[in-house]
Amino acid sequence: MSRKPSETENDTIVSMDSLPGIRKLHHDKADLYPQKPKSKPSIRHRNFSDPDQTISTISKTVPESVSDSWFHHGIQKKMQRNMRMGKLPMDSILDLHGYRQHEAVKELSAFLTYALKTQAKFLLIIHGKGFRSQQESKLRPLVQYWLSEQQAVIAYTPAQPKDGGNGATYVYLKSPGK
């Protein structure tokens, strides 16, 4: 049995047929908060330009007590929480697995220069947990000390387990021109 359209439905069908390019909506809900697609971060290996003189180098000795995380006093608590949770979109990633300390410092310097030139804000530096070392991790305290000496770095904290846990560090940079 077919149902006979009502008078208002008939009027709607006739008016839609008379106007070209008009189609009936199946729902009237709009997405008020569309999600931006996350850009895929680029993993960088050894293809950086020569480091600038604005990036400071590291001394031969790294202090034994280096904090795991540091936030500039101007960073809001919500931003700190989002950074610790790894909720910010990553702009670039550096993997330092297999590097010796002096090689890692050169790569860090070149990577930070590259990140500043490309106006990257949120970075991931993978330094490893030091399982193959005789004692404990050699690169993690080196990376954290080096980051603490950089003026462009306004925060760093250990990564979430999905991004490497204690074997990686999230880094937040200043906005360009500040």
Side-chain angles (χ1 to χ4, degrees):
M1 293 186 125
S2 66
R3 183 178 75 86
K4 184 177 176 187
S6 69
E7 201 171 298
T8 56
E9 288 176 343
N10 246 350
D11 291 342
T12 304
I13 293 170
V14 170
S15 65
M16 288 179 68
D17 289 341
S18 65
L19 299 171
I22 303 296
R23 58 187 168 91
K24 184 177 179 181
L25 292 177
H26 297 287
H27 61 81
D28 62 347
K29 296 178 181 172
D31 188 8
L32 298 177
Y33 304 103
Q35 297 292 323
K36 293 181 183 176
K38 288 187 174 181
S39 62
K40 191 164 185 151
S42 58
I43 299 177
R44 298 289 171 193
H45 296 278
R46 293 196 170 261
N47 291 333
F48 304 115
S49 60
D50 290 335
D52 260 346
Q53 272 65 24
T54 58
I55 310 299
S56 69
T57 58
I58 196 164
S59 66
K60 296 287 183 196
T61 58
V62 177
E64 287 187 26
S65 62
V66 180
S67 66
D68 281 345
S69 61
W70 174 79
F71 295 94
H72 187 270
H73 67 276
I75 296 181
Q76 298 173 350
K77 296 289 183 190
K78 185 175 181 180
M79 176 62 91
Q80 291 179 19
R81 185 174 47 250
N82 285 340
M83 191 175 160
R84 282 191 182 110
M85 298 299 291
K87 291 185 177 181
L88 301 175
M90 271 181 256
D91 297 320
S92 198
I93 299 172
L94 174 65
D95 190 350
L96 295 174
H97 277 111
Y99 284 85
R100 298 191 183 279
Q101 288 182 332
H102 66 279
E103 296 170 336
V105 170
K106 288 179 185 176
E107 287 298 312
L108 280 168
S109 182
F111 179 66
L112 187 60
T113 301
Y114 168 81
L116 291 171
K117 284 182 183 176
T118 59
Q119 298 180 357
K121 293 284 291 172
F122 193 59
L123 312 173
L124 177 67
I125 299 175
I126 303 168
H127 41 70
K129 296 180 183 178
F131 289 136
R132 293 190 319 187
S133 301
Q134 303 298 349
Q135 300 135 1
E136 57 187 45
S137 175
K138 297 284 185 186
L139 288 183
R140 184 176 70 204
L142 175 82
V143 167
Q144 291 168 343
Y145 176 68
W146 187 85
L147 289 171
S148 69
E149 297 291 312
Q150 305 307 310
Q151 291 182 356
V153 175
I154 56 174
Y156 64 88
T157 188
Q160 286 291 307
K162 65 178 178 152
D163 292 324
N166 284 336
T169 301
Y170 295 133
V171 180
Y172 195 69
L173 300 178
K174 281 184 182 179
S175 295
K178 288 189 179 181

